[in-house]
């Protein structure tokens, strides 16, 4: 495994990851339609990927890139999000954050940024 200290998809999160996949927000569903099947530059993304104690919305293992959508569930969770991002960065994972509005109104720009960042390594 390519993680320094964190395990991927720990068994204790299995039900939570499955529930998140089955109950995606409209923004997550929209982005997943664009990402799945190597839809962005041939990049393989997984949805609801566990990394240690956290679950990423979308993850490209080849480029160690996480994509997070920040909707209303992230309001007032700035400290938690910062700690989460710091943990993931220690694992060598880069995180891109987009708002739900960016996905709905600027999807081509979101996809372009995702492909660009992934291919920077």
């Amino acid at each position: 495994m390519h993680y320094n200290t964190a395990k991927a998809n720990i068994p204790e999160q299995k039900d939570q990851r499955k529930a998140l996949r089955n109950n995606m927000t409209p923004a997550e569903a929209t982005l997943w339609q664009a990402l799945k099947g190597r839809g962005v530059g041939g990049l393989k993304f997984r949805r609801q990927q566990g990394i240690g104690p956290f679950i990423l919305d979308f993850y490209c293992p080849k480029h160690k890139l996480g994509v997070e959508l920040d909707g209303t569930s992230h309001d007032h969770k700035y400290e938690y999000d910062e700690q989460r991002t710091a943990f993931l960065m220690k694992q060598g994972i880069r995180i891109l954050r987009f708002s739900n509005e960016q996905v709905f109104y600027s999807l081509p720009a979101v996809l372009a940024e995702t492909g660009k960042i992934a291919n920077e390594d």
Side-chain angles (χ1 to χ4, degrees):
M1 216 169 257
H2 62 268
Y3 308 108
N4 298 329
T5 58
K7 291 186 178 181
N9 287 332
I10 57 176
E12 296 83 9
Q13 294 175 333
K14 184 176 182 179
D15 290 339
Q16 183 181 7
R17 290 190 316 270
K18 183 177 180 180
L20 289 168
R21 282 192 303 274
N22 290 333
N23 297 295
M24 290 190 295
T25 67
E28 288 172 337
T30 297
L31 185 55
W32 179 241
Q33 286 301 311
L35 293 176
K36 72 179 183 177
R38 299 180 188 269
V40 175
L43 300 172
K44 170 76 172 158
F45 277 88
R46 298 175 182 163
R47 59 187 170 140
Q48 306 306 336
Q49 172 75 35
I51 305 290
F54 302 107
I55 299 173
L56 290 167
D57 291 336
F58 304 100
Y59 180 63
C60 177
K62 180 177 180 182
H63 296 282
K64 296 180 82 171
L65 175 65
V67 178
E68 289 291 298
L69 295 185
D70 292 340
T72 56
S73 68
H74 289 266
D75 290 349
H76 311 292
K77 288 181 150 181
Y78 304 112
E79 187 175 315
Y80 171 83
D81 282 342
E82 285 178 11
Q83 291 172 350
R84 182 174 193 256
T85 298
F87 174 86
L88 294 166
M89 288 176 62
K90 286 181 184 175
Q91 307 307 309
I93 298 170
R94 295 173 293 166
I95 301 297
L96 281 177
R97 291 189 171 280
F98 298 105
S99 69
N100 290 348
E101 290 77 20
Q102 286 176 289
V103 171
F104 291 134
Y105 302 113
S106 302
L107 184 60
V110 168
L111 299 176
E113 179 73 6
T114 301
K116 176 183 164 211
I117 297 297
N119 288 308
E120 284 182 350
D121 51 68

